[in-house]
Amino acid sequence: MAETLSWVKPKLMGALQILIGVACLSFGGVASIITEPFLTYWTLTVSTGYPFWGGIMFVASGSLSVAAEYVHKPILVKGSVGMNIVSAMFAATGITLLIVELVGNKVYGYSTSLDLLFSELN
C-alpha cells in the first residue's frame, strides 16, 4: 500500500504553513520588543515564547510537507502527516494561550482616553 497525499495539495499547504510560521516569528519579535519597555499589557504568549516555538514548528511542518511532495518516500509522507498533527496541537495550544491572555487582560482592565474623558466630565 503506497502512502500518498493525493487528496490535498501538500506543496500549497506547506507553503502556507511556512508563510504563517514566518509571520508568527516576525510578529512575535515585534511584540517582544514593543511590550517589554511599556509593561502595560500582560502578554502570556510573548512570555511563554509561543510566537517563536510555534513559528518554528509551522516552518518545520511546512518544509516537511513540501519535501514529501517532491520525494515520494513512505517514511517522509508519514513524517509529514505526523508533523502536521503535532503542528495542529501547537496551534491549539497557541489559541488557548491567546484566549487566556485576553481573559486575563479583561480582568485587570484598561481604560481608553475616551473613558478618562467621560469620567472627568461626570
Side-chain angles (χ1 to χ4, degrees):
M1 178 172 97
E3 302 251 357
T4 63
L5 293 174
S6 61
W7 53 278
V8 295
K9 302 282 187 205
K11 190 167 33 173
L12 175 65
M13 296 302 287
L16 286 174
Q17 281 182 322
I18 292 170
L19 287 174
I20 289 171
V22 169
C24 193
L25 285 167
S26 301
F27 289 131
V30 170
S32 65
I33 292 170
I34 289 176
T35 57
E36 266 311 303
F38 300 109
L39 295 177
T40 58
Y41 185 73
W42 178 58
T43 56
L44 179 64
T45 52
V46 173
S47 63
T48 59
Y50 172 73
F52 304 109
W53 50 263
I56 290 170
M57 182 58 66
F58 296 141
V59 170
S61 177
S63 300
L64 200 54
S65 294
V66 170
E69 173 72 19
Y70 288 115
V71 182
H72 299 290
K73 291 188 178 180
I75 189 73
L76 195 56
V77 173
K78 287 179 183 177
S80 173
V81 171
M83 194 70 161
N84 282 324
I85 291 170
V86 171
S87 181
M89 287 190 281
F90 274 62
T93 303
I95 290 169
T96 304
L97 287 173
L98 287 169
I99 289 171
V100 168
E101 181 177 324
L102 289 173
V103 169
N105 283 319
K106 182 72 172 173
V107 170
Y108 293 116
Y110 61 92
S111 61
T112 63
S113 57
L114 291 176
D115 291 337
L116 293 174
L117 177 65
F118 288 129
S119 67
E120 291 176 5
L121 293 176
N122 290 334

